[in-house]
Amino acid sequence: MSENPSTRHPRELAPAADPAWVDAFVVELRLLGVPGDEIGDHLVVLDTHLRESGESVDEAFGDPREYARSLAPSGGPAAAVDRSTVVLAVLALVGVVLVPAALGALLDGTRVTVTLGGLLVAVLLGGAVAGLVAPGAPVLALLVRRRWVAFVLTPALVAVGAALVLLLPQVLVRVPAPVVGVAGLVAVLAGSVLLGRAPADLVTAPGERATGSATGGGGRLLGVSVLPACALVACVPVLMTRLLG
């Protein structure tokens, strides 16, 4: 078993249990807002019980999600979302929307045009983000527990967004591209700093303490690079359109 919590998989704390059961159990506890050190305690306890009793994890503890809910401090309501998560979500949305919009306008030598359809798409995206970070994270919990919903919802949102842009082209305002670009880059930079400094709630064994405020240098670098990478990916269609157009 790895001695470093940042590289150790939670399954390693309960090797006597079925890995798929452990995964479902840990995910449910995360959704319920249970801290990583408490999750580690629960894993070690159930592993000890399984070794001593010789039972399978299903026989001893039943359904992993139901068992996780029985262990939640308040009996099973979903986790609250902290303020930093909300701020990070807003910054990510702003950066990923504004950076490619500014790039397209700069390449065309024009201003960023805000249309009625585009504004409604922004509202739609904002609503989606609000649903993910709403108190209790019910939408996030639904997407994790019923993954097929994400496969249905994502193309539906894309289709609705495209329809809004095509059907409502009325221009509301035109903004200089550099202003939009700077605003988008500032949002990406601020979000990256926030993400890179976020403490890692690692699943630790009893008596074990996670060192550092993140998962180490590699983990911190990965965290800082997530939003710039998303902004770059969002710019790819803009570049492809200009190159092929």
Side-chain angles (χ1 to χ4, degrees):
M1 181 173 68
S2 172
E3 297 298 326
N4 185 353
S6 66
T7 58
R8 182 181 60 219
H9 196 286
R11 295 175 184 170
E12 295 182 49
L13 293 178
D18 176 63
W21 193 100
V22 173
D23 290 345
F25 177 66
V26 171
V27 168
E28 191 67 23
L29 288 175
R30 285 297 195 187
L31 290 173
L32 296 170
V34 178
D37 57 344
E38 292 185 22
I39 294 176
D41 291 345
H42 293 315
L43 289 173
V44 171
V45 168
L46 72 86
D47 184 69
T48 301
H49 175 82
L50 295 178
R51 291 181 183 276
E52 294 177 349
S53 68
E55 296 176 292
S56 71
V57 69
D58 291 296
E59 292 172 339
F61 300 101
D63 181 78
R65 295 176 178 86
E66 292 182 3
Y67 181 60
R69 295 186 194 109
S70 73
L71 297 174
S74 53
V81 179
D82 59 45
R83 184 178 303 175
S84 63
T85 302
V86 176
V87 173
L88 178 60
V90 171
L91 291 173
L93 176 63
V94 170
V96 172
V97 169
L98 295 188
V99 170
L103 176 62
L106 285 171
L107 292 176
D108 295 338
T110 60
R111 294 189 169 201
V112 175
T113 301
V114 180
T115 65
L116 178 58
L119 180 62
L120 291 177
V121 169
V123 172
L124 181 66
L125 290 174
V129 171
L132 291 174
V133 300
V139 175
L140 179 60
L142 174 64
L143 295 178
V144 171
R145 293 167 182 153
R146 301 287 185 271
R147 296 182 182 180
W148 62 267
V149 175
F151 289 100
V152 174
L153 192 58
T154 300
L157 289 175
V158 172
V160 171
L164 289 173
V165 171
L166 292 174
L167 298 176
L168 299 172
Q170 297 91 330
V171 176
L172 300 179
V173 65
R174 289 185 172 89
V175 184
V179 173
V180 176
V182 169
L185 290 174
V186 168
V188 169
L189 177 61
S192 297
V193 172
L194 181 62
L195 190 58
R197 295 177 61 183
D201 182 21
L202 301 174
V203 176
T204 56
E208 184 178 52
R209 176 176 296 180
T211 57
S213 61
T215 58
R220 191 175 296 109
L221 178 61
L222 178 62
V224 170
S225 64
V226 167
L227 288 187
C230 291
L232 286 174
V233 170
C235 289
V236 170
V238 175
L239 293 172
M240 294 298 295
T241 301
R242 273 39 176 208
L243 291 174
L244 300 177

